Amino acid sequence: MHRPPKPFAYVENIYTPRQRYVLLVLSIVSLAGLMVVGLAQYLTAFLAAGILFVVFRPWWVALVHRRKWNHRLVTIGILLVTVVVLVVPFYALSSLLLERLVTFARHPERILDALHKVEAATGFTITEQLNVRQILLQGAAKVSSWVPTLASSALNFLVVVGLMLFTMYYLFMQETYFMLGLHRYLPFRNETLEELGESLRNNVNANVLGQVLVAMVQSVLTGLTLLIFGVPDPVFWGVVAFFMAFLPVLGTPLVWGPAALYQFSQGQNGQALGILLVGFIVIINVDNLLRIMLAKRMGDIHPLVTLVGLVLGVEMFGLIGLVIGPLLVSYFLVLMEVFRRENRRAMEEKTS
């Protein structure tokens, strides 16, 4: 049966095959760029989902591929662990901290009283040099103004968490197709993909699992220090220190520093000095030492890569940049090595 010719079948195309290939690549890159720009507000959710996929994939492989458990039940279990371990504590702690900030903002006289006690103990006059009461009142108004925005912030938080969990669900449920898609559509040889995957695992081990271990050690040390030197509610502030430990440079000094000032304002100069000594000598150095040791042992990552990556990642992506930053630097180094290897291979093929 003879089929009629398709419309425009014999119309001459003005592009050469090479030009069509280049334009196709440019079209793909442009569309990908538009999608990234459109999803930039929620990019953190997808990055977090990918990182957690790497973290939990060994569990998935052990339970689904080796023990033959139901993949849907394992996926739901992983999502529940994510919510219980990560989302609920972070949200609860944020709510408690905000509640305490609002309480202090509504009673600035407590802070003024503490400042007067510090002045009496040190002999330095602070309240005459600065209009502290006006600053505190402005701070109180600022903190109070945050409260109406909590609804929108909470909604955005729920959207990001929902996208993260939804993405994780499909990454695990369609794990085989996802891994095949990476090998099919990424423009790298299989050995390059293996190097990139190994770099990703190393960075996750060093900068997620390693950072969690560092934060736990600092949290315990901070809580014990506050308990020993008589600071009220040391367990709560120890938990706060766990989350503060993820912040570069600042970290746990945001907890034990004010605690030392509080003890100083109460006339407990020896206890305040003890907190400062333990903080500067033990807690800060434990952070630096453990971070470098774990980065080298858990991921075999050079400390300079970790340092540069942390600065780069936090500036670009916020808190999740603690992982993304070192990963970007590692991927750059891996791809440079791949470029060197491909050039050598091309030169050998040319000379042979």
Side-chain angles (χ1 to χ4, degrees), residues 70-323:
N70 184 278
H71 65 290
R72 191 180 301 274
L73 291 178
V74 173
T75 301
I76 293 174
I78 289 174
L79 297 183
L80 290 176
V81 169
T82 301
V83 171
V84 171
V85 174
L86 298 179
V87 179
V88 173
F90 179 80
Y91 187 78
L93 181 66
S94 301
S95 301
L96 288 173
L97 283 175
L98 184 64
E99 181 182 347
R100 298 201 177 200
L101 281 175
V102 171
T103 301
F104 279 117
R106 290 175 178 171
H107 302 282
E109 64 275 2
R110 298 180 182 177
I111 303 177
L112 278 173
D113 181 60
L115 285 174
H116 289 311
K117 290 181 178 180
V118 171
E119 288 176 343
T122 61
F124 291 103
T125 302
I126 303 173
T127 53
E128 291 183 2
Q129 298 174 4
L130 298 172
N131 192 346
V132 179
R133 181 174 294 276
Q134 183 178 358
I135 294 174
L136 290 176
L137 290 175
Q138 291 176 353
K142 185 66 175 178
V143 173
S144 299
S145 68
W146 293 345
V147 177
T149 63
L150 280 179
S152 60
S153 298
L155 179 60
N156 184 68
F157 177 78
L158 291 176
V159 170
V160 170
V161 170
L163 282 174
M164 180 189 74
L165 296 175
F166 189 78
T167 305
M168 286 178 62
Y169 176 82
Y170 279 102
L171 285 178
F172 282 112
M173 290 296 295
Q174 300 182 356
E175 178 222 14
T176 302
Y177 296 105
F178 174 68
M179 300 303 293
L180 288 175
L182 290 179
H183 283 266
R184 176 174 295 173
Y185 295 113
L186 288 181
F188 304 116
R189 300 177 187 269
N190 286 334
E191 56 266 27
T192 303
L193 287 175
E194 291 176 2
E195 290 183 43
L196 294 175
E198 183 66 24
S199 178
L200 176 59
R201 286 190 292 272
N202 289 342
N203 274 276
V204 168
N205 289 337
N207 296 296
V208 176
L209 303 180
Q211 179 60 45
V212 168
L213 290 176
V214 172
M216 288 179 63
V217 172
Q218 287 191 292
S219 171
V220 172
L221 289 175
T222 302
L224 288 176
T225 301
L226 301 187
L227 176 65
I228 291 171
F229 292 105
V231 177
D233 210 357
V235 176
F236 171 77
W237 293 113
V239 175
V240 173
F242 174 80
F243 289 90
M244 293 297 104
F246 287 90
L247 299 178
V249 182
L250 301 175
T252 53
L254 291 176
V255 177
W256 51 260
L261 288 177
Y262 172 81
Q263 290 295 78
F264 199 66
S265 70
Q266 301 300 311
Q268 305 292 336
N269 298 344
Q271 294 180 349
L273 183 60
I275 292 173
L276 292 176
L277 288 175
V278 173
F280 281 111
I281 296 175
V282 178
I283 299 177
I284 287 183
N285 289 314
V286 162
D287 175 27
N288 297 330
L289 183 63
L290 280 180
R291 194 183 300 273
I292 293 175
M293 287 178 58
L294 291 173
K296 186 65 178 176
R297 178 166 297 183
M298 297 183 68
D300 194 24
I301 298 174
H302 195 280
L304 186 59
V305 172
T306 302
L307 178 62
V308 174
L310 289 176
V311 176
L312 170 70
V314 173
E315 178 69 23
M316 294 178 62
F317 301 102
L319 189 60
I320 198 174
L322 294 172
V323 180

Side-chain angles (χ1 to χ4, degrees), residues 27-54:
S27 300
I28 293 173
V29 172
S30 300
L31 289 174
L34 286 175
M35 289 189 291
V36 170
V37 171
L39 296 172
Q41 183 179 359
Y42 304 107
L43 186 61
T44 303
F46 300 108
L47 293 175
I51 291 169
L52 292 174
F53 175 76
V54 175

